[in-house]
Amino acid sequence: MAKYKIKYNKTKCIGAATCVQLAPDTWKLDDEGLAVMKKSEFTEEELDKQTKAAKSCPAHAIEIYDDQGKKIV
Ligand code: SF4
């Protein structure tokens, strides 16, 4: 089963928290109100949810890659 990878650049995060709202199993906020990634991989069933969360980030801090290393978001 294809595995997708999430890359997160915390230095870009502005704490908007839309990622947390859309994918709470993957994102949470730390004590400073910045996003923390709870997992860095997911499978096909989560693709819709994860791409929505990544696209929702106003700071473009979240990227998603497929198992070939191709950037999706
Ligand atoms: S949506 Fe982007 S800016 Fe907002 S908390 Fe998540 S990673 Fe940070």
Side-chain angles (χ1 to χ4, degrees):
M1 187 179 286
K3 285 259 190 187
Y4 296 84
K5 284 195 168 52
I6 306 169
K7 282 194 187 168
Y8 169 48
N9 185 345
K10 191 172 183 178
T11 61
K12 287 185 173 179
C13 178
I14 57 170
T18 49
C19 59
V20 179
Q21 286 169 18
L22 292 170
D25 62 322
T26 307
W27 299 99
K28 65 177 183 178
L29 294 185
D30 67 12
D31 294 342
E32 296 173 333
L34 299 176
V36 176
M37 198 164 58
K38 293 155 82 175
K39 65 181 183 185
S40 61
E41 288 187 343
F42 62 89
T43 53
E44 191 83 36
E45 310 89 73
E46 291 187 34
L47 186 58
D48 187 49
K49 174 180 72 180
Q50 298 289 3
T51 54
K52 277 184 183 148
K55 285 179 181 172
S56 78
C57 177
H60 304 289
I62 306 170
E63 294 177 348
I64 293 177
Y65 294 83
D66 69 13
D67 59 351
Q68 307 295 316
K70 184 170 167 256
K71 188 177 171 188
I72 296 175
V73 179

